[in-house]
Amino acid sequence: MARDCSSATAGATAQEPGARRRSGRIVGLAWMAALLMIALTARLGFWQLDRAAQKQALQAQQAQRGQLPALDAATLARTPEQSVAQLQRTVRLQGRWAPEATVFLDNRPMAGQVGFHVLTPLRLDDGSAVLVQRGWVPRHRLQRDLLPPVHTPDGPVSLLARVIAEPSRLRELGEPALTGPIRQNLDLATAARETGLTLRPLVLLQLDAPGQPSGTDGLRRDWPAPDFGIERHHGYALQWFALSALGSGLLLWFGWLRPRLSSRNDPET
């Protein structure tokens, strides 16, 4: 019996170093994974703050551009590179509408109401044209394909506008409508191909001219300020920092405080 107990004790003692090594490796891997998770979430938080700072700088830059003197047809961009430098600049133009090329962009809400963004090319005196997002009109509640009345002058018009890149795009479900006045999305290449016009590489957002009554053409133009998503980046950063703090707290508790409290309360240690 004594030999059996001695053999069992010797076997257990022989297995302890191997078990300890495996346990040590597992603990080491757990520490590495926890530290990696803390570092990664913290890095993602700082990346989101960096993106927010970039958006704030862009917002400030475009706000400064809006205070510059208005562009005219001669100075309005003719290349994509020039159009990028003119984003949010104000523009004063004269030209004639091309009403036959008017497009109604669907599912564009304003003030909680569903409607259309109305886009019409404006022909300029030099033979080129520019696509203008003229305003917003409500959509018929029952007949989705019923176009609302929009007044388009036949003669020369004067226009006050702001430069934007292209109309905002929406996700399209199913086959998009490629023809007809009602569309989900419209890009400059498609508009140029369909109309045969030489379009400048930008879109103008028409504004109500100071001192002139608004809504005389049936369009609303109380456009919201551009959303740069700065608050969204701040929210994401807060979430990543919270995860990093949570990981740090768990690592501190399970890796340092709890073992020391257990060893302090253990009478055999």
Side-chain angles (χ1 to χ4, degrees):
M1 176 67 74
R3 284 197 302 269
D4 293 342
C5 292
S6 300
S7 299
T9 302
T13 303
Q15 293 177 358
E16 283 181 0
R20 288 175 180 172
R21 283 194 296 270
R22 287 193 298 271
S23 178
R25 284 196 294 267
I26 293 173
V27 172
L29 290 174
W31 270 82
M32 289 178 60
L35 291 173
L36 180 62
M37 186 273 288
I38 294 169
L40 178 61
T41 50
R43 179 67 186 89
L44 289 171
F46 283 113
W47 177 72
Q48 289 292 342
L49 289 181
D50 184 62
R51 291 288 295 153
Q54 294 176 17
K55 295 288 185 67
Q56 286 175 325
L58 179 61
Q59 185 181 45
Q61 180 191 59
Q62 295 193 3
Q64 291 176 351
R65 290 177 180 174
Q67 303 301 317
L68 296 174
L71 301 168
D72 56 16
T75 54
L76 191 62
R78 294 181 179 273
T79 66
E81 293 77 17
Q82 292 174 346
S83 67
V84 172
Q86 293 181 356
L87 286 176
Q88 301 303 316
R89 289 285 302 270
T90 55
V91 183
R92 291 186 181 274
L93 294 177
Q94 292 182 345
R96 293 176 178 268
W97 294 115
E100 70 282 358
T102 296
V103 171
F104 294 77
L105 294 186
D106 200 0
N107 295 319
R108 310 293 167 139
M110 179 176 283
Q113 189 176 2
V114 178
F116 301 98
H117 282 173
V118 181
L119 286 87
T120 305
L122 182 73
R123 292 189 177 96
L124 305 178
D125 293 338
D126 64 356
S128 65
V130 60
L131 189 62
V132 180
Q133 186 170 311
R134 297 172 56 193
W136 178 91
V137 287
R139 189 179 66 194
H140 196 279
R141 294 183 179 181
L142 300 178
Q143 302 182 40
R144 295 175 58 91
D145 57 349
L146 181 63
L147 295 178
V150 175
H151 174 64
T152 304
D154 294 330
V157 294
S158 296
L159 183 72
L160 175 66
R162 185 170 68 241
V163 177
I164 60 176
E166 285 194 356
S168 58
R169 296 190 62 83
L170 300 180
R171 180 175 298 178
E172 295 180 304
L173 300 177
E175 291 295 327
L178 301 178
T179 59
I182 298 179
R183 310 285 181 88
Q184 188 76 9
N185 294 296
L186 181 69
D187 56 59
L188 286 172
T190 302
R193 182 174 62 252
E194 292 180 352
T195 61
L197 298 171
T198 303
L199 292 176
R200 303 283 184 104
L202 44 76
V203 176
L204 297 184
L205 190 70
Q206 185 175 355
L207 306 173
D208 287 324
Q212 294 184 0
S214 61
T216 56
D217 52 4
L219 296 168
R220 288 182 57 179
R221 283 183 281 271
D222 45 341
W223 305 112
D227 181 15
F228 291 86
I230 297 173
E231 294 302 323
R232 184 169 60 251
H233 286 297
H234 285 156
Y236 290 154
L238 180 62
Q239 294 176 11
W240 287 122
F241 286 137
L243 287 175
S244 182
L246 176 62
S248 300
L250 291 175
L251 185 63
L252 180 64
W253 171 252
F254 288 104
W256 190 70
L257 290 176
R258 186 177 179 183
R260 279 157 179 76
L261 291 174
S262 299
S263 62
R264 186 179 299 174
N265 295 330
D266 190 352
E268 296 184 359
T269 58

PDB file of all heavy atoms in Angstrom, residues 193-226:
ATOM      1  N   ARG A 193     -24.554  62.040 -71.563  1.00  0.00           N
ATOM      2  CA  ARG A 193     -24.822  61.112 -72.666  1.00  0.00           C
ATOM      3  C   ARG A 193     -26.271  61.238 -73.142  1.00  0.00           C
ATOM      4  O   ARG A 193     -26.551  61.214 -74.342  1.00  0.00           O
ATOM      5  CB  ARG A 193     -24.522  59.689 -72.203  1.00  0.00           C
ATOM      6  CG  ARG A 193     -24.710  58.641 -73.292  1.00  0.00           C
ATOM      7  CD  ARG A 193     -24.261  57.276 -72.822  1.00  0.00           C
ATOM      8  NE  ARG A 193     -25.044  56.805 -71.691  1.00  0.00           N
ATOM      9  CZ  ARG A 193     -24.597  56.718 -70.448  1.00  0.00           C
ATOM     10  NH1 ARG A 193     -23.368  57.111 -70.161  1.00  0.00           N
ATOM     11  NH2 ARG A 193     -25.364  56.254 -69.482  1.00  0.00           N
ATOM     12  N   GLU A 194     -27.209  61.367 -72.219  1.00  0.00           N
ATOM     13  CA  GLU A 194     -28.620  61.421 -72.589  1.00  0.00           C
ATOM     14  C   GLU A 194     -29.003  62.750 -73.239  1.00  0.00           C
ATOM     15  O   GLU A 194     -29.831  62.786 -74.142  1.00  0.00           O
ATOM     16  CB  GLU A 194     -29.482  61.179 -71.350  1.00  0.00           C
ATOM     17  CG  GLU A 194     -29.375  59.770 -70.806  1.00  0.00           C
ATOM     18  CD  GLU A 194     -30.251  59.566 -69.582  1.00  0.00           C
ATOM     19  OE1 GLU A 194     -30.818  60.563 -69.091  1.00  0.00           O
ATOM     20  OE2 GLU A 194     -30.374  58.422 -69.128  1.00  0.00           O
ATOM     21  N   THR A 195     -28.436  63.841 -72.751  1.00  0.00           N
ATOM     22  CA  THR A 195     -28.819  65.156 -73.250  1.00  0.00           C
ATOM     23  C   THR A 195     -27.994  65.614 -74.450  1.00  0.00           C
ATOM     24  O   THR A 195     -28.428  66.487 -75.211  1.00  0.00           O
ATOM     25  CB  THR A 195     -28.678  66.212 -72.140  1.00  0.00           C
ATOM     26  OG1 THR A 195     -27.308  66.278 -71.715  1.00  0.00           O
ATOM     27  CG2 THR A 195     -29.557  65.840 -70.943  1.00  0.00           C
ATOM     28  N   GLY A 196     -26.799  65.047 -74.610  1.00  0.00           N
ATOM     29  CA  GLY A 196     -25.912  65.499 -75.665  1.00  0.00           C
ATOM     30  C   GLY A 196     -25.264  66.836 -75.377  1.00  0.00           C
ATOM     31  O   GLY A 196     -24.626  67.431 -76.258  1.00  0.00           O
ATOM     32  N   LEU A 197     -25.389  67.322 -74.147  1.00  0.00           N
ATOM     33  CA  LEU A 197     -24.818  68.599 -73.757  1.00  0.00           C
ATOM     34  C   LEU A 197     -23.391  68.420 -73.238  1.00  0.00           C
ATOM     35  O   LEU A 197     -23.031  67.370 -72.707  1.00  0.00           O
ATOM     36  CB  LEU A 197     -25.664  69.264 -72.676  1.00  0.00           C
ATOM     37  CG  LEU A 197     -27.104  69.616 -73.052  1.00  0.00           C
ATOM     38  CD1 LEU A 197     -27.875  70.068 -71.816  1.00  0.00           C
ATOM     39  CD2 LEU A 197     -27.130  70.705 -74.126  1.00  0.00           C
ATOM     40  N   THR A 198     -22.595  69.458 -73.390  1.00  0.00           N
ATOM     41  CA  THR A 198     -21.254  69.474 -72.814  1.00  0.00           C
ATOM     42  C   THR A 198     -21.368  70.023 -71.400  1.00  0.00           C
ATOM     43  O   THR A 198     -21.367  71.239 -71.172  1.00  0.00           O
ATOM     44  CB  THR A 198     -20.306  70.348 -73.657  1.00  0.00           C
ATOM     45  OG1 THR A 198     -20.292  69.871 -75.005  1.00  0.00           O
ATOM     46  CG2 THR A 198     -18.897  70.307 -73.088  1.00  0.00           C
ATOM     47  N   LEU A 199     -21.480  69.129 -70.441  1.00  0.00           N
ATOM     48  CA  LEU A 199     -21.717  69.527 -69.057  1.00  0.00           C
ATOM     49  C   LEU A 199     -20.405  69.836 -68.339  1.00  0.00           C
ATOM     50  O   LEU A 199     -19.423  69.089 -68.484  1.00  0.00           O
ATOM     51  CB  LEU A 199     -22.467  68.417 -68.311  1.00  0.00           C
ATOM     52  CG  LEU A 199     -23.917  68.151 -68.744  1.00  0.00           C
ATOM     53  CD1 LEU A 199     -24.487  66.963 -67.977  1.00  0.00           C
ATOM     54  CD2 LEU A 199     -24.787  69.382 -68.515  1.00  0.00           C
ATOM     55  N   ARG A 200     -20.395  70.887 -67.581  1.00  0.00           N
ATOM     56  CA  ARG A 200     -19.254  71.157 -66.707  1.00  0.00           C
ATOM     57  C   ARG A 200     -19.188  70.052 -65.643  1.00  0.00           C
ATOM     58  O   ARG A 200     -20.216  69.487 -65.255  1.00  0.00           O
ATOM     59  CB  ARG A 200     -19.413  72.522 -66.033  1.00  0.00           C
ATOM     60  CG  ARG A 200     -19.572  73.704 -66.991  1.00  0.00           C
ATOM     61  CD  ARG A 200     -18.265  74.130 -67.614  1.00  0.00           C
ATOM     62  NE  ARG A 200     -18.459  75.322 -68.459  1.00  0.00           N
ATOM     63  CZ  ARG A 200     -18.089  76.554 -68.098  1.00  0.00           C
ATOM     64  NH1 ARG A 200     -17.510  76.764 -66.920  1.00  0.00           N
ATOM     65  NH2 ARG A 200     -18.281  77.575 -68.915  1.00  0.00           N
ATOM     66  N   PRO A 201     -17.989  69.726 -65.124  1.00  0.00           N
ATOM     67  CA  PRO A 201     -17.825  68.571 -64.219  1.00  0.00           C
ATOM     68  C   PRO A 201     -18.218  68.869 -62.774  1.00  0.00           C
ATOM     69  O   PRO A 201     -17.451  68.629 -61.841  1.00  0.00           O
ATOM     70  CB  PRO A 201     -16.338  68.267 -64.335  1.00  0.00           C
ATOM     71  CG  PRO A 201     -15.710  69.596 -64.584  1.00  0.00           C
ATOM     72  CD  PRO A 201     -16.682  70.345 -65.457  1.00  0.00           C
ATOM     73  N   LEU A 202     -19.406  69.408 -62.592  1.00  0.00           N
ATOM     74  CA  LEU A 202     -19.906  69.704 -61.258  1.00  0.00           C
ATOM     75  C   LEU A 202     -21.410  69.876 -61.336  1.00  0.00           C
ATOM     76  O   LEU A 202     -21.995  69.869 -62.426  1.00  0.00           O
ATOM     77  CB  LEU A 202     -19.250  70.974 -60.683  1.00  0.00           C
ATOM     78  CG  LEU A 202     -19.103  72.194 -61.612  1.00  0.00           C
ATOM     79  CD1 LEU A 202     -20.404  72.926 -61.817  1.00  0.00           C
ATOM     80  CD2 LEU A 202     -18.033  73.143 -61.059  1.00  0.00           C
ATOM     81  N   VAL A 203     -22.030  70.025 -60.169  1.00  0.00           N
ATOM     82  CA  VAL A 203     -23.460  70.268 -60.081  1.00  0.00           C
ATOM     83  C   VAL A 203     -23.664  71.509 -59.237  1.00  0.00           C
ATOM     84  O   VAL A 203     -22.929  71.742 -58.262  1.00  0.00           O
ATOM     85  CB  VAL A 203     -24.200  69.060 -59.454  1.00  0.00           C
ATOM     86  CG1 VAL A 203     -25.687  69.364 -59.278  1.00  0.00           C
ATOM     87  CG2 VAL A 203     -24.026  67.831 -60.341  1.00  0.00           C
ATOM     88  N   LEU A 204     -24.631  72.326 -59.610  1.00  0.00           N
ATOM     89  CA  LEU A 204     -24.946  73.523 -58.851  1.00  0.00           C
ATOM     90  C   LEU A 204     -26.212  73.294 -58.033  1.00  0.00           C
ATOM     91  O   LEU A 204     -27.183  72.707 -58.521  1.00  0.00           O
ATOM     92  CB  LEU A 204     -25.153  74.718 -59.782  1.00  0.00           C
ATOM     93  CG  LEU A 204     -23.946  75.139 -60.616  1.00  0.00           C
ATOM     94  CD1 LEU A 204     -24.279  76.391 -61.412  1.00  0.00           C
ATOM     95  CD2 LEU A 204     -22.713  75.347 -59.760  1.00  0.00           C
ATOM     96  N   LEU A 205     -26.169  73.739 -56.810  1.00  0.00           N
ATOM     97  CA  LEU A 205     -27.323  73.691 -55.917  1.00  0.00           C
ATOM     98  C   LEU A 205     -27.933  75.086 -55.898  1.00  0.00           C
ATOM     99  O   LEU A 205     -27.356  76.021 -55.341  1.00  0.00           O
ATOM    100  CB  LEU A 205     -26.877  73.269 -54.514  1.00  0.00           C
ATOM    101  CG  LEU A 205     -27.970  72.947 -53.513  1.00  0.00           C
ATOM    102  CD1 LEU A 205     -28.678  71.652 -53.868  1.00  0.00           C
ATOM    103  CD2 LEU A 205     -27.389  72.845 -52.105  1.00  0.00           C
ATOM    104  N   GLN A 206     -29.104  75.228 -56.530  1.00  0.00           N
ATOM    105  CA  GLN A 206     -29.702  76.551 -56.658  1.00  0.00           C
ATOM    106  C   GLN A 206     -30.146  77.086 -55.311  1.00  0.00           C
ATOM    107  O   GLN A 206     -30.687  76.361 -54.473  1.00  0.00           O
ATOM    108  CB  GLN A 206     -30.890  76.511 -57.622  1.00  0.00           C
ATOM    109  CG  GLN A 206     -31.478  77.889 -57.902  1.00  0.00           C
ATOM    110  CD  GLN A 206     -32.573  77.855 -58.945  1.00  0.00           C
ATOM    111  OE1 GLN A 206     -32.839  76.805 -59.530  1.00  0.00           O
ATOM    112  NE2 GLN A 206     -33.215  78.992 -59.182  1.00  0.00           N
ATOM    113  N   LEU A 207     -29.916  78.385 -55.103  1.00  0.00           N
ATOM    114  CA  LEU A 207     -30.285  79.068 -53.879  1.00  0.00           C
ATOM    115  C   LEU A 207     -31.303  80.151 -54.200  1.00  0.00           C
ATOM    116  O   LEU A 207     -31.400  80.632 -55.328  1.00  0.00           O
ATOM    117  CB  LEU A 207     -29.051  79.703 -53.223  1.00  0.00           C
ATOM    118  CG  LEU A 207     -27.854  78.776 -52.962  1.00  0.00           C
ATOM    119  CD1 LEU A 207     -26.674  79.587 -52.464  1.00  0.00           C
ATOM    120  CD2 LEU A 207     -28.215  77.677 -51.987  1.00  0.00           C
ATOM    121  N   ASP A 208     -32.070  80.544 -53.191  1.00  0.00           N
ATOM    122  CA  ASP A 208     -32.975  81.675 -53.337  1.00  0.00           C
ATOM    123  C   ASP A 208     -32.165  82.958 -53.285  1.00  0.00           C
ATOM    124  O   ASP A 208     -31.422  83.198 -52.323  1.00  0.00           O
ATOM    125  CB  ASP A 208     -34.028  81.672 -52.226  1.00  0.00           C
ATOM    126  CG  ASP A 208     -35.071  80.584 -52.425  1.00  0.00           C
ATOM    127  OD1 ASP A 208     -35.420  80.314 -53.590  1.00  0.00           O
ATOM    128  OD2 ASP A 208     -35.519  79.996 -51.423  1.00  0.00           O
ATOM    129  N   ALA A 209     -32.296  83.780 -54.307  1.00  0.00           N
ATOM    130  CA  ALA A 209     -31.546  85.030 -54.355  1.00  0.00           C
ATOM    131  C   ALA A 209     -32.086  85.993 -53.311  1.00  0.00           C
ATOM    132  O   ALA A 209     -33.299  86.073 -53.090  1.00  0.00           O
ATOM    133  CB  ALA A 209     -31.645  85.648 -55.741  1.00  0.00           C
ATOM    134  N   PRO A 210     -31.200  86.718 -52.620  1.00  0.00           N
ATOM    135  CA  PRO A 210     -31.660  87.684 -51.613  1.00  0.00           C
ATOM    136  C   PRO A 210     -32.585  88.740 -52.239  1.00  0.00           C
ATOM    137  O   PRO A 210     -32.326  89.244 -53.327  1.00  0.00           O
ATOM    138  CB  PRO A 210     -30.366  88.318 -51.110  1.00  0.00           C
ATOM    139  CG  PRO A 210     -29.295  87.328 -51.454  1.00  0.00           C
ATOM    140  CD  PRO A 210     -29.739  86.665 -52.710  1.00  0.00           C
ATOM    141  N   GLY A 211     -33.664  89.042 -51.554  1.00  0.00           N
ATOM    142  CA  GLY A 211     -34.586  90.057 -52.026  1.00  0.00           C
ATOM    143  C   GLY A 211     -35.614  89.569 -53.010  1.00  0.00           C
ATOM    144  O   GLY A 211     -36.503  90.336 -53.409  1.00  0.00           O
ATOM    145  N   GLN A 212     -35.504  88.286 -53.448  1.00  0.00           N
ATOM    146  CA  GLN A 212     -36.473  87.738 -54.375  1.00  0.00           C
ATOM    147  C   GLN A 212     -37.378  86.753 -53.654  1.00  0.00           C
ATOM    148  O   GLN A 212     -36.915  85.992 -52.794  1.00  0.00           O
ATOM    149  CB  GLN A 212     -35.778  87.040 -55.548  1.00  0.00           C
ATOM    150  CG  GLN A 212     -34.989  87.972 -56.439  1.00  0.00           C
ATOM    151  CD  GLN A 212     -34.396  87.264 -57.631  1.00  0.00           C
ATOM    152  OE1 GLN A 212     -34.569  86.058 -57.792  1.00  0.00           O
ATOM    153  NE2 GLN A 212     -33.681  88.008 -58.473  1.00  0.00           N
ATOM    154  N   PRO A 213     -38.674  86.739 -53.985  1.00  0.00           N
ATOM    155  CA  PRO A 213     -39.590  85.797 -53.321  1.00  0.00           C
ATOM    156  C   PRO A 213     -39.232  84.361 -53.672  1.00  0.00           C
ATOM    157  O   PRO A 213     -38.871  84.058 -54.811  1.00  0.00           O
ATOM    158  CB  PRO A 213     -40.966  86.193 -53.867  1.00  0.00           C
ATOM    159  CG  PRO A 213     -40.676  86.875 -55.174  1.00  0.00           C
ATOM    160  CD  PRO A 213     -39.359  87.580 -54.980  1.00  0.00           C
ATOM    161  N   SER A 214     -39.307  83.479 -52.672  1.00  0.00           N
ATOM    162  CA  SER A 214     -38.977  82.071 -52.899  1.00  0.00           C
ATOM    163  C   SER A 214     -40.236  81.294 -53.236  1.00  0.00           C
ATOM    164  O   SER A 214     -41.348  81.675 -52.874  1.00  0.00           O
ATOM    165  CB  SER A 214     -38.316  81.480 -51.650  1.00  0.00           C
ATOM    166  OG  SER A 214     -39.211  81.549 -50.550  1.00  0.00           O
ATOM    167  N   GLY A 215     -40.046  80.198 -53.943  1.00  0.00           N
ATOM    168  CA  GLY A 215     -41.161  79.309 -54.239  1.00  0.00           C
ATOM    169  C   GLY A 215     -42.014  79.738 -55.406  1.00  0.00           C
ATOM    170  O   GLY A 215     -43.078  79.134 -55.642  1.00  0.00           O
ATOM    171  N   THR A 216     -41.611  80.752 -56.182  1.00  0.00           N
ATOM    172  CA  THR A 216     -42.429  81.173 -57.310  1.00  0.00           C
ATOM    173  C   THR A 216     -42.444  80.141 -58.430  1.00  0.00           C
ATOM    174  O   THR A 216     -43.335  80.157 -59.273  1.00  0.00           O
ATOM    175  CB  THR A 216     -41.912  82.511 -57.861  1.00  0.00           C
ATOM    176  OG1 THR A 216     -40.527  82.371 -58.202  1.00  0.00           O
ATOM    177  CG2 THR A 216     -42.075  83.621 -56.828  1.00  0.00           C
ATOM    178  N   ASP A 217     -41.457  79.255 -58.457  1.00  0.00           N
ATOM    179  CA  ASP A 217     -41.425  78.196 -59.469  1.00  0.00           C
ATOM    180  C   ASP A 217     -41.946  76.874 -58.928  1.00  0.00           C
ATOM    181  O   ASP A 217     -41.834  75.831 -59.584  1.00  0.00           O
ATOM    182  CB  ASP A 217     -40.005  78.014 -60.004  1.00  0.00           C
ATOM    183  CG  ASP A 217     -38.981  77.818 -58.891  1.00  0.00           C
ATOM    184  OD1 ASP A 217     -39.388  77.755 -57.711  1.00  0.00           O
ATOM    185  OD2 ASP A 217     -37.779  77.729 -59.190  1.00  0.00           O
ATOM    186  N   GLY A 218     -42.518  76.877 -57.720  1.00  0.00           N
ATOM    187  CA  GLY A 218     -43.053  75.652 -57.132  1.00  0.00           C
ATOM    188  C   GLY A 218     -42.026  74.787 -56.453  1.00  0.00           C
ATOM    189  O   GLY A 218     -42.322  73.642 -56.095  1.00  0.00           O
ATOM    190  N   LEU A 219     -40.815  75.305 -56.229  1.00  0.00           N
ATOM    191  CA  LEU A 219     -39.724  74.523 -55.654  1.00  0.00           C
ATOM    192  C   LEU A 219     -39.303  75.100 -54.313  1.00  0.00           C
ATOM    193  O   LEU A 219     -39.262  76.313 -54.129  1.00  0.00           O
ATOM    194  CB  LEU A 219     -38.519  74.518 -56.599  1.00  0.00           C
ATOM    195  CG  LEU A 219     -38.736  73.851 -57.957  1.00  0.00           C
ATOM    196  CD1 LEU A 219     -37.581  74.180 -58.885  1.00  0.00           C
ATOM    197  CD2 LEU A 219     -38.881  72.349 -57.805  1.00  0.00           C
ATOM    198  N   ARG A 220     -38.980  74.208 -53.379  1.00  0.00           N
ATOM    199  CA  ARG A 220     -38.421  74.612 -52.094  1.00  0.00           C
ATOM    200  C   ARG A 220     -36.904  74.485 -52.157  1.00  0.00           C
ATOM    201  O   ARG A 220     -36.366  73.520 -52.708  1.00  0.00           O
ATOM    202  CB  ARG A 220     -38.962  73.736 -50.967  1.00  0.00           C
ATOM    203  CG  ARG A 220     -40.404  73.991 -50.607  1.00  0.00           C
ATOM    204  CD  ARG A 220     -40.834  73.116 -49.440  1.00  0.00           C
ATOM    205  NE  ARG A 220     -39.989  73.318 -48.251  1.00  0.00           N
ATOM    206  CZ  ARG A 220     -40.182  72.689 -47.093  1.00  0.00           C
ATOM    207  NH1 ARG A 220     -41.193  71.829 -46.961  1.00  0.00           N
ATOM    208  NH2 ARG A 220     -39.391  72.930 -46.075  1.00  0.00           N
ATOM    209  N   ARG A 221     -36.234  75.480 -51.551  1.00  0.00           N
ATOM    210  CA  ARG A 221     -34.774  75.462 -51.567  1.00  0.00           C
ATOM    211  C   ARG A 221     -34.174  75.748 -50.193  1.00  0.00           C
ATOM    212  O   ARG A 221     -33.078  76.313 -50.087  1.00  0.00           O
ATOM    213  CB  ARG A 221     -34.255  76.479 -52.598  1.00  0.00           C
ATOM    214  CG  ARG A 221     -34.383  75.992 -54.033  1.00  0.00           C
ATOM    215  CD  ARG A 221     -33.802  76.970 -55.019  1.00  0.00           C
ATOM    216  NE  ARG A 221     -34.710  78.065 -55.272  1.00  0.00           N
ATOM    217  CZ  ARG A 221     -35.647  78.047 -56.241  1.00  0.00           C
ATOM    218  NH1 ARG A 221     -35.773  76.977 -57.031  1.00  0.00           N
ATOM    219  NH2 ARG A 221     -36.431  79.090 -56.420  1.00  0.00           N
ATOM    220  N   ASP A 222     -34.878  75.350 -49.133  1.00  0.00           N
ATOM    221  CA  ASP A 222     -34.293  75.496 -47.796  1.00  0.00           C
ATOM    222  C   ASP A 222     -33.420  74.277 -47.509  1.00  0.00           C
ATOM    223  O   ASP A 222     -33.755  73.401 -46.713  1.00  0.00           O
ATOM    224  CB  ASP A 222     -35.383  75.683 -46.735  1.00  0.00           C
ATOM    225  CG  ASP A 222     -36.546  74.725 -46.905  1.00  0.00           C
ATOM    226  OD1 ASP A 222     -36.717  74.164 -48.012  1.00  0.00           O
ATOM    227  OD2 ASP A 222     -37.290  74.525 -45.935  1.00  0.00           O
ATOM    228  N   TRP A 223     -32.286  74.246 -48.210  1.00  0.00           N
ATOM    229  CA  TRP A 223     -31.383  73.099 -48.148  1.00  0.00           C
ATOM    230  C   TRP A 223     -30.733  72.994 -46.769  1.00  0.00           C
ATOM    231  O   TRP A 223     -30.319  73.995 -46.192  1.00  0.00           O
ATOM    232  CB  TRP A 223     -30.277  73.221 -49.204  1.00  0.00           C
ATOM    233  CG  TRP A 223     -30.758  73.399 -50.602  1.00  0.00           C
ATOM    234  CD1 TRP A 223     -30.631  74.526 -51.376  1.00  0.00           C
ATOM    235  CD2 TRP A 223     -31.421  72.434 -51.418  1.00  0.00           C
ATOM    236  NE1 TRP A 223     -31.170  74.322 -52.610  1.00  0.00           N
ATOM    237  CE2 TRP A 223     -31.670  73.046 -52.674  1.00  0.00           C
ATOM    238  CE3 TRP A 223     -31.835  71.128 -51.217  1.00  0.00           C
ATOM    239  CZ2 TRP A 223     -32.299  72.391 -53.710  1.00  0.00           C
ATOM    240  CZ3 TRP A 223     -32.471  70.466 -52.248  1.00  0.00           C
ATOM    241  CH2 TRP A 223     -32.696  71.085 -53.475  1.00  0.00           C
ATOM    242  N   PRO A 224     -30.604  71.759 -46.245  1.00  0.00           N
ATOM    243  CA  PRO A 224     -29.873  71.596 -44.985  1.00  0.00           C
ATOM    244  C   PRO A 224     -28.376  71.809 -45.198  1.00  0.00           C
ATOM    245  O   PRO A 224     -27.863  71.677 -46.310  1.00  0.00           O
ATOM    246  CB  PRO A 224     -30.176  70.144 -44.583  1.00  0.00           C
ATOM    247  CG  PRO A 224     -30.467  69.450 -45.880  1.00  0.00           C
ATOM    248  CD  PRO A 224     -31.136  70.484 -46.756  1.00  0.00           C
ATOM    249  N   ALA A 225     -27.697  72.156 -44.131  1.00  0.00           N
ATOM    250  CA  ALA A 225     -26.245  72.323 -44.211  1.00  0.00           C
ATOM    251  C   ALA A 225     -25.586  70.981 -44.511  1.00  0.00           C
ATOM    252  O   ALA A 225     -26.103  69.922 -44.122  1.00  0.00           O
ATOM    253  CB  ALA A 225     -25.706  72.886 -42.897  1.00  0.00           C
ATOM    254  N   PRO A 226     -24.479  70.967 -45.231  1.00  0.00           N
ATOM    255  CA  PRO A 226     -23.791  69.711 -45.533  1.00  0.00           C
ATOM    256  C   PRO A 226     -23.427  68.947 -44.267  1.00  0.00           C
ATOM    257  O   PRO A 226     -22.949  69.539 -43.295  1.00  0.00           O
ATOM    258  CB  PRO A 226     -22.535  70.161 -46.293  1.00  0.00           C
ATOM    259  CG  PRO A 226     -22.862  71.519 -46.822  1.00  0.00           C
ATOM    260  CD  PRO A 226     -23.785  72.144 -45.819  1.00  0.00           C
TER     261      PRO A 226
END
